[in-house]
């Protein structure tokens, strides 16, 4: 039987090549994902492996939120200068350098912050004294307190040069001017780790900026041959975190490996989607091969071959194809993984030198490729074994199988999935709602896939109507509807990819609509002052600007918001506190209303809450609560007003007199209502002028604001589209495959049509129409399922604030148009084949 | 004058208009206009002049046609006979513009087929030629009616409805029109193919063993129709066949052997054809003995 299998395969080369291509692509992506993960893991940990090279020990504060504290300058957790002496006194410690590190702001030549998407990090150059971590490029090291050295990236981003004066400040330090005296690079001659810019100061200047001028350090680097235990004991056991350089590196590396594995998982996910899509293609190919071999198989059966032999012969074919294709895919996957790693290293990690590694897990790609091929061939193989020996004698073409079983199965599965979704959405799954909805979506997806053959009948006729204006179009339509199973499986592959993109696009457009509505319907403001957050720090501006804004012509009112995010408490519970210079005006801008009491001229000891919060905490007008601000001040406040429940204004509002106790005593956003009839753009220009000296924020109108808030989402949609391109390519190969096989199968018919006068052009058009119909069918189904998917997610997240449902019309129309183009392209080879057909050869009898 | 009546009393049809079977005349509604289509002046519908055709090259070369010159009068029913491999199908394909000739010319009506490009050949086949093959004549996706009007539909024109109606009526297909080919018997399928071949009123119909796959009864139906279409509609038909009784329906039989025309017999009967064939076999046997 094996010889017969091999001989048969040789005669079906074209088909097998297309099938193999799908397997190759699938395995390729899986292998590439594995390689990317481990290469990036190794490269990133390699990167931080030398972060503490030459450093023998590291002492850091124990507090978990030390990072946060650094940023906001509370010195309580930092290491005091005296500790340095204690450490140096420990046996074997040769030297100890105190490091001051934190996020700072530098104002660029354009008046805005340097570095748009990544923060600027400041540190004291002396902490580098005993290691050669940073490579000095040119100039001198900062020696005077107004001298700084900057990273090459800083120069590139800002446009400054050596000798220029730069204004720098932080949340705890006012602006000060420094002169750039030197330029340095990060290890490996890189200009940045992940896009950030860096400035090195003298230690006093760094402390002035980052530790409120106190003589404390955020880390101490130790050199020498000592025991970390002894250092720990000397500092008062457990007071600080004491690690060897290696331990500190490992900890850093661990954090980074999360990034690389998340990235790897994403690629793996899309690789598996591609593999899943190729399942459809493989099933189709083997089904068609089996159908075409019907005669041959029947003859074999008539000659005494057993059913199991027939199954084995088909599976052997799958095994051979799967193995060859998977090995090829693995090889290409290694290449792709290498290329991707280079690209990611270059663009996401600013020219990181990647250390290419191939993990043993890459072999899983082989298992996946071969396994999927064989599994996909099982159904066609079993079907092949059911070919009765008499089929050898029968002349008639086998009519397509009835769709009853598959339809009933599909309906049941879809119902189960839908029921799960419905139960989940109506909160009837006892706490497992999310799990229920997710598995419901998955199950419904499978169900719909099973239903595609039956859906294909009416839908294909309908889509075909659009093409039926010419006779060739009509023939193409009839051909597309000829074998519903085959058309459905081919289109399903496309459906999956389109459904995923449409689903995500629907969620994104719903998010946008929700954001836009919140702004446009509820917000009585026309201009918004805000900034883009790049690091741990939130963009703010000076309080005085609020009054300047109010004084502008054409400004009716200004709502301002100050927020105390972390560390604030009410009666011992962590809460977020808000405040406003003029709560009356702010409420008006947001559209909030007062239910009881008054919010005008809030006394220092008053607090305003909304109905919901009052109810939750069992509070009423006149009650008193104990409020602790993040600077540690605790004071009793009396409830002097209660607001009507309203998303945008719910929470705790304290008097503006308390703002000084906030971690960030500056406004973060301002909402400006423009006088009726005033020129919006003119007012916006005036506001811009007021903000000229506010590097962190800018002014946008509502439309721009929505755009700004949701621009990241567009990037997400684009990224998903790129990643799904692979699945789409496989789906297109599937269409090509099906068409080529159909053309082969219908050689006689084509010959007849050509004999009775069909021109080459008409033959071409006929195949193209069939192709377009299949692609459109896949796209329409995918869009339908995708919308359903998006709707389900939107419903599930409605209580989380995703209140609007909006369709991504632009994308939907684009996908439909693209599917037509894809149909045209997919038909190229098969149609050329049909057009070039040798009429005589086609009609010659066997 | 030969008649085939004595061979198949039920199915045979006299081929001369003056002896037309009244039973058949009844089936035509407008017999007058039909007669007028059969031109009394015999012009040439198809002609081959010095046609050569060889397959392969060198040692393996097979010469399928050697210097074949033959004319087919319009309004006549001609059968081509000959042993297997004698070049019958090849000749027909060359005549119909399905295959190119190596040397010589083929003329259909007033157009020279030889040297035409694919586009022109396609148009010629569509407008001037009808085909009936041994099998696979119909598109499975189309109904019988759609198959009949297929060439017109491809051309983007509409077949003359009265004419199509008459053919369908003659072929007794009226209540089968909405059926798909798989729902038709072999004989019915072949009758649909006949209707299709005639629907565009082609200059000539080529049929390659149209009854080869049919039982005697269905075969007789098809042959009767071909005969009728010649007699009543003045159709020109060239038919390749192995069957002497089928050949007897024709006005003339052209015998091919080894790529050459070896005999041209007018008004054949089954017996005369069988005699000729026996004669050929003897000739072939003698030639083989000589060679041995
Ligand atoms: N495509 C081809 N390639 C090579 N040789 C061919 C081809 N077509 C026909 N021949 C050869 O040409 C010769 C004539 O073939 P043709 O098909 O015309 O014979 P035929 O008279 O129709 O035979 P049959 O009665 O068996 O149908 C044969 O020897 C055949 O082998
Ligand atoms: Mg032949």
């Amino acid at each position: 039987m094996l010889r017969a299998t091999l001989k048969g395969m040789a005669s079906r080369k074209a088909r097998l090549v297309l099938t193999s291509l799908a397997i190759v692509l699938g395995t390729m992506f899986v292998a590439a994902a594995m390689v990317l993960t481990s290469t990036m893991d190794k490269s990133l940990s390699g990167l931080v492996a030398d972060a503490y090279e030459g450093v023998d020990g590291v002492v850091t504060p124990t507090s978990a939120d030390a990072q946060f504290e650094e940023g906001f300058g509370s010195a309580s957790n930092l290491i005091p200068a005296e500790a340095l002496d204690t450490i140096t006194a420990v046996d074997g410690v040769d030297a100890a350098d105190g490091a001051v590190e934190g996020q700072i702001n530098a104002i660029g030549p354009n008046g805005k912050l340097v570095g748009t998407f990544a923060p600027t990090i400041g540190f004291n150059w002396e902490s580098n004294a005993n290691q050669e971590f940073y490579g000095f490029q040119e100039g001198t090291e900062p020696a005077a307190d107004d001298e700084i050295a900057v990273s090459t990236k800083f120069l590139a981003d800002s446009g400054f040069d050596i000798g220029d004066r730069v204004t720098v400040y932080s949340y705890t330090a006012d602006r000060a001017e420094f002169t750039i005296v030197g330029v340095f690079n990060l290890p490996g001659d890189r200009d940045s780790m992940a896009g950030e810019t860096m400035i090195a100061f003298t230690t006093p200047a760094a402390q002035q900026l980052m530790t409120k001028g106190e003589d404390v350090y955020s880390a101490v680097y130790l050199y020498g041959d000592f025991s970390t235990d002894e250092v720990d004991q000397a500092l008062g056991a457990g007071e600080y975190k004491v690690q060897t350089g290696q331990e500190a590196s490992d900890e850093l590396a661990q954090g980074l490996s999360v990034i690389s594995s998340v990235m790897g998982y994403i690629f793996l996910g899309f690789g598996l989607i591609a593999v899943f899509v190729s399942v459809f293609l493989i099933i189709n190919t083997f089904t068609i091969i089996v159908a075409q071999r019907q005669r041959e198989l029947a003859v074999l059966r008539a000659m005494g071959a057993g059913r199991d032999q027939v199954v084995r012969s088909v599976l052997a074919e799958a095994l051979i194809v799967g193995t060859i294709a998977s090995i090829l895919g693995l090889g290409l996957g290694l290449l792709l993984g290498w290329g991707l790693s280079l690209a990611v290293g270059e663009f996401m990690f600013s020219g990181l030198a990647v250390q290419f590694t191939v993990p043993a897990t890459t072999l899983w790609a082989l298992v996946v490729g071969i396994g999927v091929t064989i599994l996909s061939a099982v159904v066609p193989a079993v079907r092949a074994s059911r070919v009765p020996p008499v089929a050898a004698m029968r002349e008639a073409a086998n009519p397509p199988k009835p769709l009853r079983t598959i339809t009933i199965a599909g309906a049941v599965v879809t119902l189960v999935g839908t029921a799960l979704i419905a139960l989940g959405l109506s909160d009837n799954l006892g706490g497992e709602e999310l799990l229920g909805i997710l598995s419901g979506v998955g199950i419904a997806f499978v169900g719909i896939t099973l239903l595609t053959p039956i859906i294909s009948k009416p839908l294909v006729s309908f889509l075909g109507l659009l093409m039926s204006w010419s006779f060739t179009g009509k023939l193409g339509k009839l051909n597309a509807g000829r074998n519903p199973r085959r058309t459905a499986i081919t289109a399903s592959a496309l459906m999956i990819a389109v459904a995923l993109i449409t689903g995500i696009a629907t969620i994104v457009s719903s998010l946008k609509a929700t954001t836009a509505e919140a702004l446009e319907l509820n917000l009585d403001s026309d201009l918004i002052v805000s900034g883009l957050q790049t690091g741990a720090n939130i963009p703010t501006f000076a309080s005085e600007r609020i009054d300047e804004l109010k004084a502008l012509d054409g400004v009716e009112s200004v709502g301002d918001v100050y927020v105390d995010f972390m560390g604030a408490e009410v009666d011992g519970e962590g809460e977020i506190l808000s405040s406003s210079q003029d709560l009356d005006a702010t409420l008006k801008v947001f559209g909030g209303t007062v239910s009881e009491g008054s919010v005008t001229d809030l006394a220092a000891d008053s607090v305003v809450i909304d109905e919901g919060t009052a109810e939750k905490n069992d509070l009423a007008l006149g009650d008193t609560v104990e409020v602790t601000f993040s600077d540690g001040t605790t004071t009793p406040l009396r409830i002097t007003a209660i607001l009507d429940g309203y998303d945008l204004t719910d929470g705790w509002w304290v008097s503006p007199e308390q703002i000084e106790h906030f971690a960030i005593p500056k406004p973060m956003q301002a909402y400006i209502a423009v006088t009726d009839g005033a020129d919006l753009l003119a007012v916006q220009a005036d506001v811009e002028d007021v903000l000229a000296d506010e590097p962190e924020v800018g002014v946008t109108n509502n439309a721009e604001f929505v755009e700004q808030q949701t621009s990241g989402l567009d990037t997400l949609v684009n990224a998903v589209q790129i990643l799904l391109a692979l699945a789409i390519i496989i789906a297109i190969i599937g269409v090509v495959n099906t068409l080529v096989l159909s053309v082969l199968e219908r050689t006689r018919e084509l010959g007849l049509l050509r004999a009775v006068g069909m021109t080459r052009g008409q033959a071409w058009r006929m195949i193209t129409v069939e192709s377009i119909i299949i692609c459109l069918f896949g796209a329409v189904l995918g869009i339908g399922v995708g919308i359903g998917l998006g709707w389900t997610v939107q419903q599930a997240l409605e209580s989380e604030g995703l209140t609007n449902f909006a369709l991504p019309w632009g994308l939907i129309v684009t996908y439909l148009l693209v599917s037509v183009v894809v149909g045209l392209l997919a038909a190229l080879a098969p149609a050329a084949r049909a057009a070039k057909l040798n009429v005589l050869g086609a009609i010659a009898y066997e | 004058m030969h008649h085939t009546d004595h061979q198949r009393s039920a199915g045979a049809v006299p081929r001369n208009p003056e002896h037309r079977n009244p039973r058949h005349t009844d089936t035509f509604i407008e017999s007058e206009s039909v007669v007028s289509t059969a031109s009394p002046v015999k012009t040439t519908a198809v002609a081959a002049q010095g046609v050569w055709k060889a397959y392969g090259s060198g040692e393996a070369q097979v010469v399928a046609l050697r210097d074949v010159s033959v004319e087919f009068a319009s309004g006549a029913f001609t059968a081509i006979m000959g042993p297997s491999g004698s070049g019958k199908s090849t000749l027909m394909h060359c005549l119909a513009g399905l295959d190119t000739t190596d040397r010589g010319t083929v003329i259909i009506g007033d157009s020279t087929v030889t040297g035409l490009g694919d586009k022109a050949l396609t148009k010629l086949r569509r407008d001037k030629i009808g085909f009936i093959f041994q099998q696979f004549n119909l598109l499975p996706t189309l109904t019988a009616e759609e198959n009949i009007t297929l060439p017109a539909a491809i051309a983007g024109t509409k077949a003359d409805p009265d004419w199509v109606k008459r053919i369908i009526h003659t072929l007794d297909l009226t209540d089968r029109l909405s059926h798909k080919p798989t729902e038709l018997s072999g004989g019915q399928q072949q009758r649909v193919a006949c209707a299709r071949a005639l629907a565009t009123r082609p200059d000539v119909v080529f049929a390659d063993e149209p009854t080869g796959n049919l039982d005697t009864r269905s075969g007789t139906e098809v042959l009767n129709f071909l005969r009728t279409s010649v007699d009543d509609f003045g159709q020109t038909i060239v038919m390749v066949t192995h069957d002497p009784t089928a050949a007897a329906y024709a006005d003339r039989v052209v015998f091919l052997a080894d790529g050459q025309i070896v005999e041209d017999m007018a008004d054949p009967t089954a017996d005369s054809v069988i005699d000729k064939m026996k004669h050929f076999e003897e000739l072939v046997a003698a030639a083989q003995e000589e060679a041995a």
Side-chain angles (χ1 to χ4, degrees), chain A residues 447-457 484 488-489 492 495 777 781:
Chain A
I448 290 168
T449 310
L450 290 174
L451 284 178
T452 40
I454 198 84
I455 301 173
S456 85
K457 283 190 166 177
I489 291 179
S492 293
M495 169 190 89
F777 175 51
L781 262 184

Side-chain angles (χ1 to χ4, degrees), chain B residues 55-56 62-64 82-91 208-209 240 242:
Chain B
Y55 292 107
V62 179
V63 181
S84 188
S86 57
K88 303 183 296 291
S89 298
T90 307
L91 176 61
D208 196 349
E209 302 189 41
V240 170
H242 274 118

Side-chain angles (χ1 to χ4, degrees), chain A residues 523-528 671-675 680 684 700-703:
Chain A
L523 214 55
D524 189 23
S525 84
D526 307 291
L527 297 170
I528 297 162
Y671 298 84
I672 303 169
V674 172
T675 325
L680 184 69
Q684 186 169 352
T700 52
N701 55 46
N702 283 355

Side-chain angles (χ1 to χ4, degrees), chain B residues 148-164:
Chain B
I148 292 171
T149 53
L150 180 63
I154 289 174
T157 57
K158 205 165 152 34
D160 176 357
D162 291 334
W163 174 247
V164 172

Side-chain angles (χ1 to χ4, degrees), chain B residues 193-225:
Chain B
C194 290
R196 198 224 20 241
L198 264 76
T200 50
R201 299 181 188 249
D203 287 5
V204 55
V205 170
F206 290 106
D208 196 349
E209 302 189 41
T211 56
N213 268 20
L214 300 181
D215 60 48
T216 323
R217 216 181 82 89
S218 306
T220 308
E221 281 170 8
V222 168
L223 289 165
N224 267 331
F225 173 73

Side-chain angles (χ1 to χ4, degrees), chain B residues 208-287:
Chain B
D208 196 349
E209 302 189 41
T211 56
N213 268 20
L214 300 181
D215 60 48
T216 323
R217 216 181 82 89
S218 306
T220 308
E221 281 170 8
V222 168
L223 289 165
N224 267 331
F225 173 73
L226 293 180
R227 183 69 246 167
T228 315
S229 66
V230 172
D231 292 340
D232 295 356
F233 314 146
Q235 183 63 57
T236 311
I237 296 179
V238 177
M239 170 181 80
V240 170
T241 184
H242 274 118
D243 178 6
T245 51
Y249 278 77
D251 299 310
R252 171 192 174 201
V253 180
V254 174
F255 287 90
L256 268 182
D258 201 16
Q260 281 174 305
I261 294 180
V262 291
E263 180 74 43
D264 200 334
M265 180 195 271
D267 297 329
T269 64
D271 290 337
S272 66
V273 171
I274 290 168
D275 284 348
K276 252 306 168 278
M277 285 166 70
K278 274 196 189 129
H279 178 61
F280 279 138
E281 273 160 32
E282 281 159 19
L283 280 182
V284 170

Side-chain angles (χ1 to χ4, degrees), chain A residues 358-540:
Chain A
V358 178
T361 46
T362 313
L363 288 175
W364 273 105
L366 272 188
V367 178
V368 169
I370 299 172
V372 160
T373 317
I374 294 182
L375 281 180
S376 313
V378 164
V379 173
V382 169
R383 204 172 290 160
S385 74
R386 298 229 180 95
V387 172
V390 295
M393 277 56 109
R394 271 209 302 253
E395 185 57 58
N398 46 329
K401 292 228 176 54
L403 300 174
R404 214 180 49 225
T405 329
I406 193 170
T407 303
I408 293 172
V412 170
V413 175
T414 311
L415 272 179
V416 170
T418 326
L420 265 176
I421 296 173
L423 286 176
L425 289 181
S426 57
D427 293 333
N428 277 323
L429 287 177
E432 299 294 327
E433 274 76 25
L434 193 64
L435 185 72
I437 292 171
L438 283 180
S439 42
V441 165
I443 293 171
F445 215 84
V446 173
I448 290 168
T449 310
L450 290 174
L451 284 178
T452 40
I454 198 84
I455 301 173
S456 85
K457 283 190 166 177
L459 205 51
V460 163
S461 328
F462 172 72
L463 293 172
L465 279 184
L466 309 173
M467 313 273 168
S468 289
W469 42 265
S470 77
F471 182 69
T472 30
K474 194 180 161 208
L475 285 179
K477 169 199 145 184
L478 289 173
N479 285 337
R482 208 155 158 176
N483 192 331
R485 271 171 199 258
R486 191 189 296 174
T487 303
I489 291 179
T490 311
S492 293
L494 211 55
M495 169 190 89
I496 291 165
V498 175
L500 286 174
I501 307 179
T502 312
I504 290 171
T506 305
I507 297 166
V508 165
S509 71
S510 300
L511 262 171
K512 280 187 177 179
T514 306
T515 316
E517 197 194 64
L519 285 172
E520 277 151 26
L521 290 182
N522 304 336
L523 214 55
D524 189 23
S525 84
D526 307 291
L527 297 170
I528 297 162
V529 176
S530 66
L532 201 62
Q533 187 175 350
T534 56
N537 293 337
I538 293 146
T540 57

